[in-house]
Amino acid sequence: MSKTYTGGCHCGAFRYEVELDLSSKMATKCNCSFCLKSNFLTLPVPGDGSQFKLLSPKSLDEVGDYKFGSKKGSHFYCKECSICLINKPPFPIELPGSGGKISMFINAVTLDQGQDVDLRKFKIMYWDGKENNWAAGLKEEPYSGGCY
Ligand SMILES: [Zn+2]
C-alpha cells in the first residue's frame, strides 16, 4: 500500500517526494523540547531513507539543519520560510509499532494537499521523547510535557 507523495515547505524552495504507506492513518507527536515547540506531526519513513527523494534544492546541505543536544540528529528546515520538514536521527532507530528501523521522520503537515491525505482522519499517538523513553511505546494521550 505504499504510495509516492510530494511535499514541501511554505515558500516552495524545499521540496521532496517520499514513498509511504499511510493506510494505518496514524501520525505521532512527541513531547521532547523540539517536537513540542515546533508542533512536529511525525510520520516515520521506514528503512534506510531511500524512499525519500529531495526535489529541491539539490542537496540537504543547502537547507537549514538545526542540531541540539548531542548535535548528531538533524532537523532540516527551509532557510527562507522556516518550516521544518524533516527530523533525522543520527542512525536508524527501532521504534515499537513503526514497522522496523526508522531513518527519518517527515512532518506530516508538509505533505501537499490533494493527494488523498486527509489529516483530519489521522489518529495521533504520542511518544515520550522528553524522557527518552521510546520503549514505553505509543500512548493515546500525550506524555507529561506534551500537547495534543
Ligand atoms: Zn520555504
Side-chain angles (χ1 to χ4, degrees):
M1 282 287 276
S2 277
K3 201 181 134 182
T4 302
Y5 297 92
T6 57
C9 68
H10 185 257
C11 75
F14 190 171
R15 300 276 310 153
Y16 67 84
E17 201 173 83
V18 66
E19 201 182 304
L20 291 172
D21 180 353
L22 298 179
S23 55
S24 67
K25 292 200 187 313
M26 189 182 86
T28 63
K29 282 192 175 184
C30 157
N31 58 355
C32 83
S33 56
F34 182 83
C35 287
L36 178 71
K37 293 208 175 198
S38 63
N39 203 9
F40 204 91
L41 182 61
T42 305
L43 286 175
V45 180
D48 59 3
S50 59
Q51 303 92 323
F52 177 88
K53 193 177 147 200
L54 186 65
L55 300 177
S56 73
K58 284 198 176 71
S59 153
L60 284 175
D61 294 339
E62 295 173 54
V63 301
D65 178 4
Y66 176 62
K67 295 173 187 285
F68 64 92
S70 68
K71 306 269 187 202
K72 287 179 181 145
S74 287
H75 302 78
F76 294 111
Y77 64 94
C78 175
K79 286 183 188 170
E80 180 65 26
C81 70
S82 85
I83 304 295
C84 184
L85 281 66
I86 300 164
N87 173 356
K88 196 172 188 323
F91 45 82
I93 55 174
E94 195 102 36
L95 288 180
S98 285
K101 295 217 182 224
I102 308 300
S103 54
M104 64 166 28
F105 300 92
I106 297 288
N107 191 351
V109 295
T110 66
L111 289 169
D112 290 336
Q113 295 288 296
Q115 305 181 93
D116 215 15
V117 180
D118 187 346
L119 292 175
R120 296 173 303 174
K121 306 251 159 58
F122 275 55
K123 179 165 183 60
I124 300 178
M125 299 286 285
Y126 301 87
W127 295 108
D128 191 10
K130 185 178 156 207
E131 300 299 331
N132 223 4
N133 191 12
W134 306 103
L138 288 163
K139 223 170 66 165
E140 304 236 339
E141 293 189 344
Y143 284 89
S144 173
C147 80
Y148 283 99

